């Protein structure tokens, strides 16, 4: 049903969206950290379980008294309707799937309740029923209930498949020829790779994913446009051809980091992005000197606030359409997203971007700002130990301690390791092509028997040493040294 009416009309998704939109930030960050990429699955299963329990309760009450039994479903439908109508881009038409679903569901509900009542005493009257018809009607009820469940599941399945086909941008992505870049980022130098198993460049399939989108937007490149407006001399409306032919296409290797990354965490990835410089696009539009921010909006209404200076003064900040030599994967923003080195993703990396408003921090606010996160958020210096893992049992002798460090604005100049609070020891650093990527490090430890704590800290290219002070993720990113505890065996 939602297939015909379009995005934002699926009541199930609208409820999910609303749960996400109105969840306290502690809950959404908890879900992202705890369930990672499965946070949405957990949300949907949660909604499904609640619905099933409520339906069972309503059915039980309704077999005795239809009126009170119907109150709960009616309240649920009203809540779902409110969720649909408060979703971004809501129109009355988007209520159609919910209304049709309600009529079909209500009919099935009433029929089932009638069937369940056969063989049950009417209110107050003593039972006169024979046991035989009661058993027959129970069988009939179970059959009808089963048929309803199967029918509902089949309808939902057909809807999903149809929706997938009608809204699918796979053909567009498969047929897309990435424009060539004017520069080439060299293959990963062997000297960049110091951690066994931890790739310097992250494969697209392994790249972390964080967003509030419950269904991945499907926008064919041919139907995509981005509007550049606000405090500019000329409003620009760029389509795929305009974007890729009017501006120089460049490749940049950039490490992206999520503000929700805990100390030692894995919500960071490094890729070669292909796109056009945001500085070129904004210069073409002509930016008013009173502006200090770009509010970028995705097709599903999510927004990010990026300091204008971080875009205008950057040779790397881009509107990207390529990721490691391929068109962007759908989950990573196809057809076009923003990528800005040195700023956390929530203030810079808008996927499925369709709107760039040049504005002021004083006048506009992004999605996460009223939810307890800072309006501006540069990536903080971080380093992590990837080998050995915490609680590893190791043989005595030479142990390789290695990992990754980043400050993808300035770059990393030094990494140091210490054991059991002893002196800091300099680690070897991997080669990097520039300051916009993370950097691997490696240190050989003459490990002696016993239990040990190994800690790491990094120094950025300005000489700033990573702080050991622990900070929570909200409002602008965690800090603190990563450590692992290992046991070295007696020889
Ligand atoms: N449209 C949209 N873009 C978004 C987000 C989002 O919720 N919606 N999340 C941002 C956040 S918090 C991060 S860390 C990066 C993650 O990008 P990735 O999923 O490609 O790794 O995307 C950013 N872009
Ligand atoms: Mo993020």
């Amino acid at each position: 049903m939602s297939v015909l009416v379009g995005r934002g009309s699926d009541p199930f998704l609208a409820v999910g969206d609303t749960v996400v939109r109105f969840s306290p930030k502690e809950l959404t960050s908890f879900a992202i950290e705890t369930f990672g990429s499965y946070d949405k699955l957990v949300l949907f299963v949660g909604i499904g379980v609640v619905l099933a329990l409520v339906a069972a309760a309503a059915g039980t009450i309704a077999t005795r008294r239809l009126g009170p039994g119907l109150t709960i479903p009616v309240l649920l439908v009203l809540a779902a309707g409110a969720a649909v109508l408060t979703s971004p881009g809501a129109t009355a038409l988007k209520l159609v799937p919910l209304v049709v679903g309600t009529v079909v569901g209500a009919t099935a509900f009433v029929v089932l309740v009638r069937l369940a009542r056969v063989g049950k005493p009417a209110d107050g009257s003593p039972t006169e029923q024979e046991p035989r018809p009661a058993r027959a009607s129970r069988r009939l009820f179970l059959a009808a209930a089963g048929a309803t469940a199967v029918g509902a599941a089949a309808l939902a399945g057909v809807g999903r498949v149809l929706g997938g086909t009608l809204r699918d941008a796979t053909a567009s992505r498969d047929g897309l020829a990435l424009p060539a870049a004017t520069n080439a980022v060299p293959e990963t130098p062997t000297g960049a790779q110091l951690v066994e198993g931890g790739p310097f460049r992250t494969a697209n399939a392994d790249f972390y994913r964080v967003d509030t989108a419950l269904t991945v937007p499907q926008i064919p490149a041919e139907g995509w446009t981005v509007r550049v407006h606000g405090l500019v001399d000329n409003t620009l409306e760029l389509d795929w051809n305009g974007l890729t032919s009017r501006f120089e296409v460049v490749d940049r290797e950039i490490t992206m980091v999520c503000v929700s990354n805990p100390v030692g965490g894995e919500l960071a990835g490094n890729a070669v992005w292909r796109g056009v410089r945001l500085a070129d696009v904004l210069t073409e539009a002509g930016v008013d000197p009173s502006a200090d921010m770009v509010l970028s909006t995705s097709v599903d209404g999510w927004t990010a606030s990026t300091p204008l200076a971080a875009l205008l003064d950057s040779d790397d900040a881009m509107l990207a359409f390529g990721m490691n030599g391929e068109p962007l994967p759908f989950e990573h923003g196809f057809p076009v997203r923003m990528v800005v080195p040195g700023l956390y993703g929530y203030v810079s990396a808008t996927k499925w971007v369709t709107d760039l408003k040049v504005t002021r921090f004083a006048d506009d606010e992004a999605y996460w700002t009223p939810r307890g996160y800072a309006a501006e958020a540069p990536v903080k210096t971080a380093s992590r130990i990837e080998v050995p893992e915490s609680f590893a049992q190791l043989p005595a002798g030479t142990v390789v301690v290695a990992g990754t460090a980043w400050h993808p604005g300035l770059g990393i100049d030094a990494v140091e390791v210490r054991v059991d609070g002893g002196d800091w020891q300099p680690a070897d650093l991997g080669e990097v092509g520039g300051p916009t990527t993370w950097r691997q490090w490696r240190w050989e430890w003459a490990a002696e028997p016993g239990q040990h704590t190994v800690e790491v800290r990094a120094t950025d290219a300005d000489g700033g040493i990573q702080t050991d002070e622990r900070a929570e993720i909200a409002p602008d990113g965690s800090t603190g040294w990563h450590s692992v505890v290992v046991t070295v065996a007696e020889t």
Side-chain angles (χ1 to χ4, degrees), residues 430-456:
E431 281 176 46
V432 278
T436 59
T437 68
W438 58 20
R439 194 161 190 182
Q440 295 195 345
W441 57 269
R442 183 180 191 274
W443 179 67
E444 284 186 9
W445 171 34
E448 293 186 358
Q451 184 176 302
H452 302 286
T453 302
V454 185
E455 289 171 293
V456 65

Side-chain angles (χ1 to χ4, degrees), residues 210 258-259 346:
V210 169
C258 182
V259 70
Y346 84 100

Side-chain angles (χ1 to χ4, degrees), residues 32 207-213 217 256-260 267 273 297-304 323 331-333 337-338 344-353 367-368:
I32 291 174
F207 208 93
Y208 80 97
R209 174 190 167 195
V210 169
D211 55 62
T212 59
M256 191 182 301
V257 186
C258 182
V259 70
S260 295
L267 292 179
W273 308 93
T297 309
S298 64
V299 70
D300 60 350
W302 187 87
T303 50
M323 183 176 183
E331 322 71 87
H332 296 294
R337 74 174 303 169
M338 284 181 44
Y344 284 120
Y346 84 100
V347 289
S348 69
T350 306
K351 305 191 271 191
W352 317 291
V353 66
Y367 181 88
W368 282 108

Side-chain angles (χ1 to χ4, degrees), residues 381-385 401-405 412-419 422-429 439-444 454-460 463-467 481-483:
T381 304
S383 54
R384 69 180 181 213
I385 301 168
V401 181
T404 307
I412 290 296
D413 264 12
V415 171
E416 298 162 291
V417 186
R418 69 175 185 183
V419 178
D423 292 336
W424 288 104
Q425 310 289 330
D428 291 333
L429 290 178
R439 194 161 190 182
Q440 295 195 345
W441 57 269
R442 183 180 191 274
W443 179 67
E444 284 186 9
V454 185
E455 289 171 293
V456 65
R457 72 174 187 191
T459 303
D460 68 41
I465 298 179
Q466 183 185 344
T467 177
W481 294 335
H482 186 217
S483 62

Side-chain angles (χ1 to χ4, degrees), residues 117-134:
R117 276 177 165 178
V118 176
K120 272 209 181 150
D123 289 333
S125 67
T127 175
E128 293 159 17
Q129 299 293 330
E130 308 278 329
R132 210 160 38 91

